[in-house]
Amino acid sequence: MPSEPRPTLFLLHALGTSRREFDLVGAALDGRFEMVQIDLAGFGDASTSTGTTVEDMRTEVLERIRRHGATRWMLVGHSMGGKIASAVAARVMAGAPGVFGLAGVVLLAASPPVPEPMDEDRRAEMLGWARSTDGRLVDHLSADAARTFIDANVGSPLDPARDDSVRADLLRASPEAWTDWLTTGSREDWSHDVGTLDVPALIVAGGADGDLGPDAQRSLNGAVYPGARFLTLDGAGHLLPLERPDEVADAIAGFWDDVAGRAPIIPEDVVGTIASGRTSARTRSILAARALADDPDRAPEALTTQQLATLRALADRVVPQGPFADGTAPIDIAARVDAQLAAGAGDGWRNAMLPPDRDAYGLGLDALAGFTEMTAEDQDARIGEIVDSSFVPEHGDSAGAAGVEQHGATDDGDSASTVFSAAQMTIWFEDARVDLVRQWLAHPATMARIGFDGFANGGDGTRLQGFQLLGADEKEGWEPRMETATSMETTR
């Protein structure tokens, strides 16, 4: 089996620093990720020619990701770079052309999409560093200004080498980009554009940070990423990648291993087709959400904890997925069905013998009490009983086929049942199987496994590019080969 490519990190730095602020983090990660450290406009080696607004920087970062061609990647944004990272993530999840494969976002003392909280006297002082007494922009910040900035943003002094590095970055920073961020970028409200992102996220704060400390991160960035994990580095200030590079690296690696990197791997050629102009932005957006890793700590929304555990055990028998050869986790199709139920989604109809879907799942799963403790052989036998309508619930006698009217649904759709009959269990299980398989098939990694690329049926231009060859076993030159979809192979 060919080795899978390393996941990629696109790293966006803080105001006044450069891509070099992540050098120590990269060294601590020791090759686990491909590090793409980006200089934002006006900082490091980047000129201001591409523009210094948030929109300008978002556009430039998206173009860098497109040119790179990464297929499994995360955004890491520090301070100013955090706001840019959230703006980029929102655009990607909305179906931005040419990019696919975002797996998660890591925010380090990040500026939020809403206007950044900042003491106005301090903002005025920092603006003053970039202007001469006659109001014109200076050529560069002074050594005294750089010293003041560093001392105000660390929990304790940096070692000499790190201090020299950030000071050098500050002295070569563009005063134009510096003032643009303080006067405009940090004050812009991107909340309507970014919205709420159901993307795996790790939000890290310095315990000794000021305006962007733990409370601000939870209230401002936490509102954007409802499923985020939070980490506070006690005693650290604002310059986290320089103050605590080893801890930041450990946090990134752990977040990838435990959350963001768990999703089944989609072959590179399939990712390329999804990102291409042959796939519409709407379809790309839908697939981007489906490709995200399932949260292992997700609480059920429509089912109880025990009902969800039973549905997961049932799903393992209906759609046996893993473990996968590449070490990624199976798709949590049971949790996705739970989310479907909570949203009131489905296939648009229900059997008249059953109550509404949410109630039906509760009754069906409650009838399977003890299923999670059974051996696989006994589970399969129990499923066989459901299929042939000989099932007797664990929590009481079934009324059998004769009990259908008694335990069916009322005319107004409310459940009149406290226990399913055997016939109802059979009907419910038919629906449950359909839901579980639909959630499995909807994942782009599954599409790759079965050789389906029908999502590439036309982009967003005036000339929709579809398929020319429609015969069995006919494949067009642009279609993905799907020969590397080994991540979906199981040990069963």
Side-chain angles (χ1 to χ4, degrees):
M1 182 185 78
S3 61
E4 298 292 344
R6 290 181 300 166
T8 303
L9 301 181
F10 293 97
L11 302 109
L12 312 178
H13 61 81
L15 174 69
T17 64
S18 76
R19 68 182 187 279
R20 298 192 307 176
E21 74 164 21
F22 294 108
D23 285 350
L24 294 172
V25 174
L29 286 169
D30 193 26
R32 282 209 55 192
F33 300 86
E34 180 181 357
M35 304 281 289
V36 181
Q37 299 164 224
I38 298 175
D39 282 334
L40 297 171
F43 303 100
D45 294 326
S47 72
T48 59
S49 59
T50 57
T52 59
T53 68
V54 173
E55 180 60 54
D56 292 334
M57 288 188 278
R58 172 167 80 165
T59 299
E60 177 61 21
V61 171
L62 281 167
E63 182 57 30
R64 288 287 301 272
I65 297 171
R66 287 190 191 98
R67 293 199 303 265
H68 183 280
T71 58
R72 297 176 75 217
W73 50 278
M74 292 200 300
L75 289 161
V76 180
H78 176 209
S79 191
M80 176 181 74
K83 186 165 190 164
I84 310 305
S86 292
V88 170
R91 188 70 186 89
V92 171
M93 297 308 297
V99 292
F100 191 80
L102 173 64
V105 176
V106 178
L107 300 179
L108 308 173
S111 180
V114 296
E116 179 182 323
M118 184 182 296
D119 179 84
E120 289 305 315
D121 288 340
R122 185 154 49 82
R123 187 193 302 271
E125 178 187 20
M126 292 170 64
L127 284 168
W129 297 340
R131 296 190 180 277
S132 60
T133 55
D134 60 5
R136 291 181 298 177
L137 288 176
V138 297
D139 293 331
H140 56 78
L141 271 61
S142 69
D144 288 343
R147 179 78 272 142
T148 301
F149 179 83
I150 296 170
D151 292 346
N153 283 281
V154 293
S156 58
L158 299 173
D159 68 42
R162 302 178 198 186
D163 191 275
D164 287 346
S165 176
V166 68
R167 185 161 50 87
D169 279 340
L170 285 162
L171 294 178
R172 65 175 177 155
S174 160
E176 176 189 359
W178 178 272
T179 56
D180 283 351
W181 173 255
L182 291 170
T183 59
T184 305
S186 64
R187 286 173 160 161
E188 289 183 10
D189 188 348
W190 278 70
S191 58
H192 293 296
D193 184 280
V194 173
T196 300
L197 296 176
D198 194 14
V199 174
L202 171 65
I203 299 176
V204 185
D209 199 350
D211 296 328
L212 291 174
D215 291 343
Q217 294 303 322
R218 286 186 175 274
S219 63
L220 300 179
N221 281 313
V224 177
Y225 300 92
R229 270 101 169 128
F230 294 90
L231 173 65
T232 297
L233 301 183
D234 293 334
H238 188 66
L239 301 183
L240 299 180
L242 292 154
E243 295 181 76
R244 304 286 182 84
D246 292 345
E247 291 172 74
V248 169
D250 287 345
I252 291 172
F255 175 63
W256 178 263
D257 291 340
D258 297 341
V259 185
R262 290 166 52 89
I265 296 173
I266 306 167
E268 291 186 53
D269 52 357
V270 177
V271 171
T273 304
I274 296 173
S276 76
R278 292 185 176 274
T279 303
S280 71
R282 182 171 182 271
T283 299
R284 191 180 301 113
S285 174
I286 292 169
L287 295 178
R290 292 177 183 174
L292 294 171
D294 296 300
D295 185 348
D297 298 326
R298 175 188 177 277
E301 298 177 68
L303 305 174
T304 66
T305 300
Q306 183 55 54
Q307 287 168 350
L308 181 57
T310 301
L311 186 57
R312 283 183 171 132
L314 196 62
D316 285 344
R317 307 314 302 162
V318 174
V319 189
Q321 299 180 69
F324 296 152
D326 59 27
T328 57
I331 307 162
D332 193 348
I333 55 178
R336 294 183 181 217
V337 169
D338 173 66
Q340 168 191 312
L341 294 171
D347 52 17
W349 76 284
R350 68 176 172 88
N351 192 293
M353 293 173 66
L354 298 180
D357 288 348
R358 191 164 179 165
D359 296 331
Y361 265 89
L363 292 169
L365 294 168
D366 285 346
L368 286 166
F371 189 82
T372 56
E373 287 77 40
M374 293 179 179
T375 64
E377 184 179 37
D378 288 343
Q379 287 177 339
D380 289 345
R382 182 57 53 90
I383 289 172
E385 294 170 356
I386 298 173
V387 172
D388 65 20
S389 296
S390 64
F391 174 78
V392 177
E394 290 290 328
H395 52 35
D397 293 336
S398 169
V404 168
E405 291 183 2
Q406 176 184 357
H407 299 300
T410 61
D411 291 339
D412 62 4
D414 290 334
S415 172
S417 172
T418 58
V419 58
F420 269 168
S421 69
Q424 285 173 306
M425 280 294 292
T426 299
I427 296 168
W428 167 73
F429 187 55
E430 289 177 356
D431 284 349
R433 278 180 292 175
V434 169
D435 287 340
L436 291 168
V437 173
R438 283 176 66 241
Q439 291 293 340
W440 177 68
L441 285 171
H443 198 288
T446 308
M447 295 179 185
R449 180 182 183 183
I450 66 174
F452 175 78
D453 57 11
F455 52 80
N457 61 353
D460 299 300
T462 55
R463 178 179 176 272
L464 298 180
Q465 304 175 81
F467 293 84
Q468 299 296 319
L469 302 178
L470 302 177
D473 297 324
E474 291 183 328
K475 211 168 187 65
E476 302 192 34
W478 59 264
E479 291 186 74
R481 298 183 306 279
M482 302 193 188
E483 295 170 352
T484 59
T486 53
S487 66
M488 293 300 291
E489 295 303 320
T490 73
T491 58
R492 291 188 180 178

